[in-house]
Every structure is written in C-alpha cells, then in structure tokens.
Amino acid sequence: MHPRHTGASDAAATAAPREGSTGRARIAVLALLASVLVPLVAAGLHSVLWVLVGVGGVALAAVGLWWTLAHTGVLRALGATLAVTAPLTVLALYAAFGVLGPVLISLALWLLAVTAARTALASGRSGEKAVSERPRAPWILMNPYSGGGKVDRFQLVEKARAAGCRVALLTPGRDVTELARQAVTEGADLLAVAGGDGTQALVAEVAARHDLPFVVIPAGTRNHFALDLGLDRDDPASALKALVDAVELRIDLGYAADRVFVNNASFGTYASVVTEPAYRDAKARTTLRTLPGLLTGEDAPRLRARADRRHLDRLQALLVSNNPYGRAVDAARPGRRQRLDSGLLGVVCVRIGNTVEAARVVRGSRSGGLVRLSCREVVVEGDTDTIPVGIDGEHVALPSPVVCRSVPGALRVRVPRRRPGAPRAGGSMADWPRVARLALGRRSPAGDGTGPLARESRGDGGSRPGGRAAESP
C-alpha cells in the first residue's frame, strides 16, 4: 500500500476562502469588456464578419494540419501549404481592410483579461512548509548520460559530495529502484535524483513509500517535473540549495497500473510512435512516417476510456497527467500545471477521424474532437491484450485495461526556498463568476463548496456524488 496523505486536500480547503486581489479582478473584467468593444468600435457590426473570417482561417489551418499528419504524398504537401497559407491569408485580409491593429489589440486584451482573472484569485504560494532541520544522510542518484551529460558539465558530483551527500552513479544495467531501496536500507533520510523525469519517478515512488523527503535536480533533457516545481533548469546545481534552505511540499503521484509517473502517461498514437527504434535519433522524420498509419490505417489504435463516470470511445490519443495541464494559450503558465496537489488527474483526449472532424476542432470542447477532463481515476482499454504506454517519456507495454489513478499528497518534495518559477495558488482556469463578484466588491460564496478549489479538495472531478467528471470548456 502506498501512503495517502491529506495535506493536499487541507491546502486546497484552506485556500478556497481567500478572496484575492480586487484590483486585478477589476482589470480582468475591464480588459475582457475592452477586448469586445475594440473591434466593435473599429468595424461596427462588420466585426462579426471578421470574426467569422478568422474562425474560417483557423478551421482551414486545422484541416491542413490533419492532411499533413494523416496522409502522405500530394495530400500531405497540400495540407502543409494550407496550414501555412490559411492564417497568413486571414492576416493579409485584416491588414488590407484596416482591422489588423484592432484585432491584435483585442487579442492582447483578452490575454490580459485571462491572466489577470487567474492571478486575481491567487493569494500566495500554497502548501509550502519551512524546513528547519538539515538531512543527516542525504543520498543522490545521478545519471551521467542524461541531458547530454549535465552531471559532468555542471560538476554535480563534486558539488553534491561537498554538501555532504552520498552519490551513486547510474550505470547501464543497474536497477534504479533497487539502488534507491538499498539507500533506504543503509539509512538515507533524503533521496534525490539528478536525471530525467522517468528516473525521477522511480526514485520518487521509493521516497513516497518510506515517507522520505525527495529532491529534484533537473539534469535531464526536458525536466518538465522540475519546471512545474519552479526550479531553475538552466542551473541544475542550484537545486542543491534544498539541502540547506528549503521548503517542503506535499504533492501527488500518478499511477498507470503499478507504474508511477510524476508528469504523465500517454496512450495511442504518441505511445506507438516512441516504440519505433528510429525515434530517438530522428523524432520528426519518424513521427511523420508513422503517423498516417496510426491515424487512418487499419492498425490505427482505437482506445476506450472511462474517466470517473464518463465514457469515451474512438480515441486515437489520450494523455493522463498527474494534475491537469493548463492550455497552450494560457498566458500565465502555458502548457504547465498550476498545481501538483489537487488530487486529480488531467485527461486530454483526441478523436479526429476525417477532414470534417478536423475542421470542427475550432468549436473547442463542443466539437468532440478534443476533450479535456479532470477526474480521480481513468480506465483505458484497447482492442489488444496489451497497450503501449509512454510513461514520463519511457515506453512500456501494460495489460489492458490500464487503471490510472492519483495518490494525493504521497510525496514530500523539498525545493529551495527561493526559486525562479515557483507557482502561485490559483485555479487552472479563470473562474469568471468569482472574478466578477470580486471586482464588484462582493464576498465570494467560497464556503458553499462550489468553487473550483473546493471541488478539487473533494477530489470529485468537479461533480457531486452521482455526477460526471468535470470538463474544461
């Protein structure tokens, strides 16, 4: 059994009643209104026509992207051309009729409104606890091959030993989990990893099982986990400050069957692409070569999933994340996780089977082609006995069905007190009703348990008992 802690829920519950910044809420509301008024003043009722032109351009670009990914030969070439020329043509039309400036201003105001709305409800960092005692026997696993040799380049071995750490270098054939267990047996009171996210996850599970503090040293290639913890990925050695001047966070761990993940588990097309032997050395070429067969061929993966009580079918790709990711267009934290302690999984599904469905993507979640959910548990099924899964960038094959779940507050992570990208408390999307009440100086009914933080603290995916998983608009 893995430890289950309530620290994340407590943090969410205590954060819910905070009112946040009235000034930012007013900026958000005014910016939102201005983003609508600017095109109306500039073009009058014709602004509706220009909105339709913009939507049409995005739809054509989506069709072009679909042709590029799902087909080969002439159709792929036409798709690539369409994906580029459609938005450029829209911008040229805007410029020719003198509305490009107002459109860009409107978009900038909308981004300002969304960012201000989210930060208006934030009131400081959540869930941090100051650490007063230094570890007596810290142990660090370092992968010298990760990140193109960051361990050697940043002299991490020497710096860790100077800080009083025992260092174990990962060599080919050595079992990461066994090394971590051995460290615990020999008295380690803190575990750390300098390496990629896959290695981080394996040692994090051992730390969580023994309720030991865990330190992340971003010495991998992408270091998504370190990014969402606010660590400086350009200076891995700065993470060693967590040994002497630290705060501790209680964060969640995700599981796909019995495999732990700190970032995400991917199913479907991407998981199948990474199984190709040539993928490591030629990612883009291998992806373009294999995607047509995976998207429209006879062997294209077709997945089914149950997210809490919602059923999804005909899925080509599915991403299950340890806490929900923000949207790529989110100006505050694009494509990142605002929280790591909500007790929820984020789910992003893709089901686009033809050109018409690709064009409908402009409708967002209403199109059915792209679905975003937050839930406590996801069950993924395929048409074969095993399903390829990419877990924190590492490929595995798991028996179908695969149950993905979150273990709230399982991991004690220590991070430097001062770090450049520390996340601030707040929801994963703008809660406009609360923002409007705050802007008007009215008290938010946070105590009624209906706000997003209250829903996350219940861990019910945004629904009351008997409801379905919450879907982001």
Side-chain angles (χ1 to χ4, degrees):
M1 294 294 290
H2 298 282
R4 181 183 181 93
H5 302 280
T6 59
S9 299
D10 292 343
T14 57
R18 296 175 179 176
E19 290 300 311
S21 170
T22 301
R24 291 182 183 179
R26 289 172 179 169
I27 290 173
V29 172
L30 290 174
L32 183 64
L33 292 174
S35 71
V36 177
L37 290 175
V38 165
L40 283 175
V41 171
L45 294 178
H46 288 100
S47 59
V48 176
L49 174 62
W50 291 118
V51 169
L52 294 177
V53 170
V55 171
V58 173
L60 288 174
V63 169
L65 182 60
W66 168 254
W67 288 353
T68 302
L69 297 177
H71 299 280
T72 59
V74 175
L75 200 54
R76 168 171 283 181
L78 288 174
T81 302
L82 183 60
V84 174
T85 58
L88 290 178
T89 301
V90 171
L91 292 176
L93 287 172
Y94 284 167
F97 285 88
V99 296
L100 180 59
V103 167
L104 294 178
I105 293 173
S106 179
L107 287 174
L109 288 167
W110 176 76
L111 289 173
L112 173 62
V114 172
T115 302
R118 288 190 52 199
T119 57
L121 302 178
S123 53
R125 300 174 188 176
S126 64
E128 293 187 356
K129 183 178 70 172
V131 177
S132 58
E133 295 183 1
R134 294 184 58 174
R136 297 183 306 277
W139 178 92
I140 300 182
L141 170 70
M142 295 190 179
N143 184 350
Y145 309 102
S146 186
K150 285 185 178 180
V151 168
D152 290 333
R153 192 159 65 249
F154 289 93
Q155 300 178 324
L156 296 180
V157 173
E158 294 80 2
K159 292 176 181 179
R161 286 174 176 162
C165 300
R166 178 178 174 183
V167 177
L169 291 177
L170 182 63
T171 56
R174 298 195 71 179
D175 188 292
V176 174
T177 303
E178 280 304 315
L179 278 172
R181 290 172 179 165
Q182 178 182 342
V184 174
T185 301
E186 295 177 1
D189 61 350
L190 179 145
L191 299 180
V193 175
D197 290 327
T199 308
Q200 298 278 1
L202 294 173
V203 179
E205 182 183 27
V206 177
R209 186 181 295 274
H210 296 277
D211 199 29
L212 293 177
F214 180 70
V215 170
V216 174
I217 302 173
T221 302
R222 288 175 290 273
N223 299 298
H224 291 163
F225 188 38
L227 177 67
D228 290 332
L229 289 171
L231 300 176
D232 187 350
R233 297 184 298 173
D234 296 325
D235 183 13
S238 64
L240 291 170
K241 295 177 183 176
L243 300 173
V244 294
D245 185 24
V247 292
E248 189 169 289
L249 313 172
R250 276 284 186 184
I251 70 170
D252 310 332
L253 286 178
Y255 280 84
D258 61 346
R259 292 294 301 264
V260 69
F261 58 91
V262 292
N263 292 326
N264 54 63
S266 59
F267 300 79
T269 51
Y270 173 73
S272 298
V273 168
V274 298
T275 64
E276 294 288 324
Y279 178 77
R280 291 290 181 185
D281 298 324
K283 292 182 173 61
R285 190 183 307 117
T286 304
T287 300
L288 288 174
R289 176 175 55 82
T290 56
L291 269 181
L294 293 172
L295 292 174
T296 58
E298 294 182 359
D299 297 328
R302 289 293 180 266
L303 302 172
R304 302 176 298 279
R306 185 177 73 252
D308 286 346
R309 297 191 179 185
R310 177 165 181 181
H311 293 265
L312 303 162
D313 58 11
R314 298 189 305 111
L315 303 178
Q316 292 152 303
L318 185 150
L319 181 79
V320 180
S321 59
N322 176 27
N323 288 265
Y325 283 102
R327 298 178 184 275
V329 296
D330 187 340
R333 291 171 65 82
R336 294 172 57 183
R337 290 168 289 183
Q338 179 68 21
R339 302 181 59 184
L340 292 170
D341 62 352
S342 71
L344 297 173
L345 299 171
V347 181
V348 180
C349 308
V350 178
R351 46 182 178 187
I352 301 173
N354 53 53
T355 301
V356 174
E357 291 180 354
R360 288 176 182 168
V361 168
V362 296
R363 299 176 58 196
S365 60
R366 292 174 296 175
S367 69
L370 296 174
V371 181
R372 292 168 55 94
L373 304 169
S374 297
C375 58
R376 293 169 297 180
E377 182 180 274
V378 184
V379 181
V380 184
E381 298 181 80
D383 295 329
T384 56
D385 293 337
T386 60
I387 304 177
V389 189
I391 298 181
D392 286 339
E394 302 294 331
H395 169 257
V396 297
L398 298 176
S400 178
V402 179
V403 178
C404 300
R405 69 191 192 283
S406 173
V407 182
L411 183 63
R412 298 167 55 192
V413 177
R414 288 191 182 177
V415 293
R417 188 187 305 272
R418 294 178 179 85
R419 56 199 195 278
R424 299 182 66 84
S428 59
M429 59 182 177
D431 186 350
W432 284 105
R434 286 183 64 200
V435 171
R437 286 192 294 267
L438 183 57
L440 294 172
R442 298 175 182 174
R443 181 175 176 81
S444 174
D448 63 2
T450 60
L453 289 175
R455 290 195 296 268
E456 288 184 354
S457 70
R458 287 200 306 266
D460 61 5
S463 61
R464 296 189 180 277
R468 72 178 191 178
E471 180 172 347
S472 301

